[in-house]
Structure formats: C-alpha cells, structure tokens
Amino acid sequence: MNPNIRTLLGPGVRFVWDLAIILSGGGMRCAYAIGVLMALIEVHGIMPGIISGLSGSLAPIIYFLLGRFKEMRDWPNQIKDKKFINFWRLLRVRIPIDVPYAVDRWMADAPELAEAIATSRTKLILPATVLPEKSGDPETRCWFRNEDFRNHARELMIALQSTSQSVRVGKRNCADACFTTSLTDLMAEVLREGANQVVVVDNSVSPVSRWTAPIMRVLARGEGPMGKLAWKFRHEEPIIPKSSTVHVLRRRQDLPVEHMMDNEPEHYWQSIMMGYRDCAELDLSHLK
C-alpha cells in the first residue's frame, strides 16, 4: 500500500485483495468517482486490491493510488485553469481539454508517480484502443497494468484520456478506450484477474449526454484517427449481472456537473460530495 495512505489515514485501512473498483468515464463527470474513492478510504477504511476505469476516471485513480487525497479535494480549484479547458479551441474544431498539459502538471506535482504506480499493491487494469498501422485494418483493444507505468507513464496518461489522437506507447498507437470498451468489458477483465467482490461506479448516463455525445463525435472527427470510432459510437447500457458480490453505484439524481467539459468549480465540488455520500451509504461491512 502506498505509504501516503497510511500517513494520512492511520492504521485503520484494510487492504481487500479480492475487491475490484470499476469506474466509468465521462470527462469532468468523473468528479463523482473522486467522491466515491475518498469515502471508500475515509468512511469504510478499505483499499481495493484491483482498480479499473475508463477515460476521465484515470486522474482520480492515479491520485487515489498515490494517496494524494488533498489534491483530489483541490481539483475544483485546478480546473479553472484556462490552459486545461479552453472553449476557444472549439473555433478550430478541437476538443477543449488539453490532456498533455494536464498530464505534465500532474507529473510535475508528483515526481514519484511512475514508480509509485508500478510498485502499488493495488492492481491497476486499464484498457486502451489500439489503432491500426494500416488504413482499413480494424482497431483492437489492449490492457495496461502497473508495471507499464514505469517506462511509459506520460505516454499512457495522455493516450488513455485522449479521444482525439493516438499516442505511441511502446510499439502500439494507443488512445482512449471510451469508444471501444464498456463497463461490461471491465467487469470481465477484473473477474479474470481474481476479483470476488466488485463495486461498479457508473456516472456515464445523463440527459445532457444526448447532445454532448454528437458534438464530441464531430470534434473527434476533425482531429484525427479516433474520428471514425467516435462517429459510429453509440452508448449502450452496461450489462451488469445481478449478484450479492456486485454493487452498482449510480448517482440517484443528475450530477451538478452538467456535461463532460463543465469546468465550473462549484458543480465539480457538489458532484464530488454526491459520490462521497452515495459510497458512504453502501454496506460493505461483509468485506474482509
């Protein structure tokens, strides 16, 4: 376990090796996931043995594994940085979020990031879309784990959150898996990894998504190789089996964060608190 977690929260944190946490994507809507992860430690005193997620959930996952809960709470102040989200980029048919800039800031703030993730006791399972080398070949999916961050931390953190371009990671052109991977796929992968208990955090569906998704498809089409995938993407409800070992956590009302690029700090903070309250009310007393 990362020593930062022990320092911040004392010896009361239990490591539950067969518990997996799965987080959906959704850009800034992943503020909800930040609240869930904070409550998991602060209320339940649980550190999961496995964690997986999509797209915008990567930032909460990284801060969580680093034990940097102060920074997680401070996110509402960081997102007002106009270099991070700049809606003037829309005039050039570009996604407003500057992912490389955000990643460079995170790595500057946490120089221990790559080694800490590589050596974390919690298993990290993250999907990526692999774009073909030759035109006409189908896209595929690959999975990255803790040890991959030792030599490719920056490339991975950009690629796994980039819906508009691919990034070379080793010998593969990788990009965000949000158009090729579902929560159902993540569920299957964590079960293969040995999870016996799963908490699925799904904040991906909202009324606003019905009009932001088409806009994102247009923007992605203007930016490069992810365009074709974005254009044909259609959100489908995940198929999560009903089981006493699977807990599905969905927000009980619309999140204050109105869309995946909402950079209003108050909306973000309210969404964090919704996730915190919802997770705090989960009965996880049976976990050992």
Side-chain angles (χ1 to χ4, degrees), residues 3-260:
N4 283 346
I5 292 175
R6 292 199 189 96
T7 301
L8 286 170
L9 301 165
V13 177
R14 294 173 292 143
F15 183 81
V16 183
W17 70 271
D18 63 344
L19 170 65
I21 306 296
I22 295 176
L23 305 177
S24 68
M28 306 310 289
R29 294 176 60 78
C30 292
Y32 182 83
I34 290 179
V36 171
L37 293 175
M38 287 165 52
L40 194 67
I41 290 287
E42 297 179 356
V43 177
H44 298 290
I46 290 175
M47 186 68 179
I50 303 169
I51 190 165
S52 184
L54 283 169
S55 194
S57 68
L58 179 63
I61 289 173
I62 296 300
Y63 277 102
F64 181 69
L65 291 184
L66 293 177
R68 287 178 166 254
F69 299 101
K70 180 179 181 297
E71 285 85 346
M72 290 171 74
R73 293 181 186 278
D74 192 50
W75 256 93
N77 296 322
Q78 296 186 38
I79 62 174
K80 287 302 287 184
D81 187 340
K82 287 185 168 49
K83 291 184 179 179
F84 178 34
I85 299 181
N86 188 342
F87 289 97
W88 287 106
R89 286 167 58 86
L90 291 169
L91 297 178
R92 294 180 290 158
V93 195
R94 295 290 185 267
I95 302 290
I97 299 176
D98 189 336
V99 174
Y101 170 77
V103 168
D104 287 338
R105 275 195 57 178
W106 300 338
M107 297 194 71
D109 291 342
E112 79 280 16
L113 185 150
E115 188 63 21
I117 295 172
T119 58
S120 174
R121 191 177 175 188
T122 296
K123 295 179 182 179
L124 188 59
I125 304 175
L126 299 171
T129 298
V130 180
L131 296 170
E133 297 284 346
K134 298 178 182 178
S135 177
D137 288 349
E139 65 280 348
T140 57
R141 180 171 59 231
C142 68
W143 299 89
F144 290 103
R145 287 169 166 75
N146 303 64
E147 58 272 17
D148 296 306
F149 278 78
R150 180 170 277 116
N151 297 316
H152 302 291
R154 183 178 185 274
E155 300 96 308
L156 277 172
M157 291 180 68
I158 295 173
L160 297 179
Q161 301 176 93
S162 179
T163 59
S164 60
Q165 61 183 359
S166 63
V167 177
R168 195 76 174 175
V169 181
K171 297 181 179 180
R172 294 174 288 198
N173 292 320
C174 299
D176 196 321
C178 65
F179 298 133
T180 58
T181 306
S182 68
L183 291 178
T184 309
D185 298 322
L186 298 185
M187 169 76 77
E189 193 66 19
V190 300
L191 291 175
R192 278 193 290 268
E193 195 67 30
N196 291 316
Q197 302 278 341
V198 183
V199 175
V200 181
V201 182
D202 183 7
N203 56 253
S204 58
V205 182
S206 73
V208 183
S209 297
R210 298 188 185 113
W211 58 263
T212 56
I215 292 174
M216 290 293 287
R217 287 199 290 272
V218 171
L219 294 176
R221 193 174 189 180
E223 287 217 24
M226 287 292 282
K228 182 176 69 173
L229 289 176
W231 194 252
K232 67 182 182 182
F233 171 75
R234 296 294 182 273
H235 176 81
E236 296 180 359
E237 284 293 320
I239 301 173
I240 306 296
K242 291 185 178 180
S243 167
S244 60
T245 63
V246 178
H247 307 272
V248 181
L249 196 56
R250 291 189 175 98
R251 76 286 179 283
R252 287 172 292 186
Q253 60 190 81
D254 286 340
L255 292 178
V257 172
E258 295 177 349
H259 53 80
M260 63 187 68

